[in-house]
Amino acid sequence: MQFNIKQKEFYAGLNIVKKAVASSNTLPILTGIYLKAVTGKGLQVKATDLELGIEYWIDVDIQREGAVVLPANQLINIIRELPNEQISFKVNQEKWQAELNCLSSQFKLSGYDPDEFPSLPEVDIPVTFKMPANKLLDTIKKVRVSTSSDETQPALTGALFEVKPEKIRMVSTNTYRLSFIELNYKTGIEDDIKAIIPGNTLQELSSLLNNDGEVEILINENYARFDFEGIIVISRLIEGKFPNYELVIPDEFNSDFVADLKRMQNSVKRASLIARLDSNIISLIVNEDKLEINSLENSSGYAHEEVEIELNGSEQNINIDAGYLLDVLKILSDEEIHVELIGPLNPLVIKSVAEASKFIYLIMPVRSQN
Amino acid sequence: MKQLNIVHVDMDAFFAAVEKLDNPALQDKPVIVGGVSIGQRGVVATASYEAREFGIHSAMPIAKAKILCPDGIYLPTRKDRYQQVSKQFFSILNSFTPLVEKISIDEAFLDLTGCHKLFGSSEEIAKKIKEKINMETGLTASVGLAPNKFLAKIASDLKKPAGLTIVRPEEVEEFLEKLPVGKLWGVGIKLEKKLKNLGIEEIGDIQQFSLQKLNDLFGRSGVKLFYLSRGIDNRKVNTENSIKSISHEETFSKDIFKKDEIYAVLMQLAEKVSYRLRSNDLAGNTVFVKVRYADFKTYTRRITLKKSVSRPEEVYQIGKRLLKINKLLKKPVRLLGIGVSKLAPLQKKQLNLFDKQKEKKQDQLVNVIDDLNNKYGFQSVQRARELLLNDDLSQ
């Protein structure tokens, strides 16, 4: 195995797959990155922790074919520290040892037998469709925040991905808040599919996806595969039952108001400076023409903010977690925010509806009898 | 000088007195209550006055007590029963004033400010409290009445049992003068020794020193000594809920290794923790477990949650998870404990989108169990998991 590669390109390629490198060393080979040189195709880099796998091809001229698995941390650290020059890369296929030369630097790094590296699972008999990368990225950003970190309810640590012939939905919830997004988009598939994609996979996808091009998505019973820009991401799906979210999204409300998103975000952020010293709960008092945001009574201090609004319906009063509200204010890009309220014990609903998509975000209140 | 408004009430030899109340045959006998059920490993929780004459005091190992008083009557603690009487005790105190600070199961401070129109002078109220406790519980308490907490506490301790000691504002210095320095708050064995080396034996001797001198000698504790020796203490009777954490633990008669048995005990402890949380209208964000092994090495592990917990099932499940993820059950366990901290009033509760119905049902169940337990004593109703408990493990 032998090739020459630019430091910058090598480093970029390794960075793409490193997110899938296993962090614990129950299977030491999984803490490595798989490298395979194929004449006419280039260099394949690949990593997996068996839950998530990422594969990427770097375009380089191959002098001699071969494969090796090298420890990810050391390899990435070395490549990062080398100057942006040509690196000559050679592997002693007997000892699984790589030799790197770059200007006056020389490294030898021992690795593993590539035949022992698990191949990424085949997503066979899949349902396949394509969607624009920017739409998938936007969808993921909006649902990622609401996934749960509670491992005792695995289904909630991911997002439900529902694909219909003319609609795509993604939903996530930690049971205290919920993100729902629906795109009107012709997928061309025949039967509906439902899959729960791990939160970690969404995290990696959102950092790898950019706004250009298309993503090809393949889903079967156990895996989902995302192909874009030469990158392949394969993720195991979460088994389990996702709660019936349709039942908890209210279809009616008593009051609704519109406010300037940026102003609202700034006010909530400031009120949270005090609220978070306690439980980060804020009280929202919705008046005719203004929204008052107060920190709840606590010994550390007090914060009061006012935001101009236009209210329809009765005045309202609700206590919510400031963090849940800030999360959604941060991901919205509209100029205004639209909020619907039912009462102090019912979810607060934030809606952003456009022709092509509908985003609904629910926050369950905190009950307080003080 | 301040007014004569602070009362300290302390039940006399509480656990032992309750045992005598329930079994009159024990009257006049030396009764020692403590961890009898755990063989030779327990300590004395309370000794009756008869037992104290043998030199037995609380926190002494049972084994040692048995040498001092082989003919004593040794009884296991019956926490639930004491809790019942304690409830009665506090409801009596609350009938005089809401300004009651609970210090422990059998001890409290009261602030009599504003009670005089209803119940008479402070002296009269102190007497009434003492009498009412005796009439309604059949037990005796010792009462101290003084201008502040520090003096009231010393006063109640002076004429035990069934004493009533009053320290009027004008008598404070005289009252303190002849008391040994060990009676002062914060004076432990070490400081007492230092003081004795300087020839200071009575509180009156401290009164001779200037603030500066005491500060030079003992630093900050010296400043405290200066004020306390003059009977100055400005702390308020704190009625606010000052509970920082609630926990229960149990030492086993034999170290246990079987996970099912450990979980059964854990459930029982979690129920107790949860019961106390809910009777104080509290929920907590941090759950912790404590494990001690045969070599006395003790480990505490905690987890802080986004959502506060109070239900027994929740406390138990999280405790169990803590034991599992920290691999605490790889060795036989001598002591197991579980508790909840970072407490907040139960009223502030993050509502859930999905199991509104489920939670409502669970809350109802828990309330019914609480009612039954209040009526018939703790654990008249139990979870099936607890039936796994061996008789020799449970108290």
Side-chain angles (χ1 to χ4, degrees), chain A residues 76-94:
Chain A
I76 290 172
N77 288 343
I78 291 167
I79 304 302
R80 185 185 55 228
E81 298 306 329
L82 287 175
N84 184 16
E85 297 290 341
Q86 202 76 9
I87 299 169
S88 112
F89 189 102
K90 266 195 304 220
V91 173
N92 176 340
Q93 302 285 158
E94 312 276 273

Side-chain angles (χ1 to χ4, degrees), chain A residues 20-38:
Chain A
V21 173
S23 50
S24 76
N25 52 0
T26 39
L27 239 178
I29 197 167
L30 295 183
T31 62
I33 291 177
Y34 176 95
L35 305 160
K36 185 179 178 185
V38 181

Side-chain angles (χ1 to χ4, degrees), chain A residues 12 43 50 72 92 134 154 169 218 249 277 315 319 326 339 360:
Chain A
L43 177 69
L50 301 180
N92 176 340
N134 62 346
R169 279 183 180 178
L218 291 82
I249 299 178
L277 300 175
E315 302 195 332
N319 295 328
L326 268 181
V339 181
I360 301 175

Side-chain angles (χ1 to χ4, degrees), chain B residues 210-225:
Chain B
S210 70
L211 178 60
Q212 188 57 52
K213 183 78 192 164
L214 285 170
N215 189 17
D216 293 347
L217 284 170
F218 306 109
R220 213 188 290 169
S221 9
V223 176
K224 240 168 90 186
L225 285 178

Side-chain angles (χ1 to χ4, degrees), chain A residues 127 163-165 187-194:
Chain A
V127 175
V163 188
K164 297 165 188 275
T187 58
I189 67 159
E190 281 166 11
D191 299 310
D192 295 5
I193 42 171
K194 278 187 185 186

Side-chain angles (χ1 to χ4, degrees), chain B residues 11-23 26 31-36 43-47 73-90 102 104-107 137 139 275 377-378 395:
Chain B
M11 297 296 288
D12 299 320
F14 184 52
F15 296 176
V18 174
E19 295 301 337
K20 289 186 177 187
L21 182 73
D22 292 352
N23 182 1
L26 301 176
V31 172
I32 298 100
V33 178
V36 175
V43 294
V44 176
T46 308
I73 293 156
Y74 291 83
L75 299 172
T77 44
R78 292 188 299 150
K79 275 266 166 65
D80 313 334
R81 172 70 180 127
Y82 310 146
Q83 209 73 51
Q84 261 180 358
V85 183
S86 173
K87 251 192 161 161
Q88 223 182 335
F89 168 65
F90 279 96
K102 182 175 182 174
S104 68
I105 189 167
D106 63 342
E107 197 185 336
T137 67
L139 303 173
Y275 179 77
F378 197 74
Q395 295 212 346

Side-chain angles (χ1 to χ4, degrees), chain A residues 43 67 118 120 177 236 238 254-255 305 363:
Chain A
L43 177 69
L120 299 189
R177 59 159 155 191
R236 189 189 284 278
I238 296 177
N254 293 324
S255 321
E305 289 278 341
I363 304 175

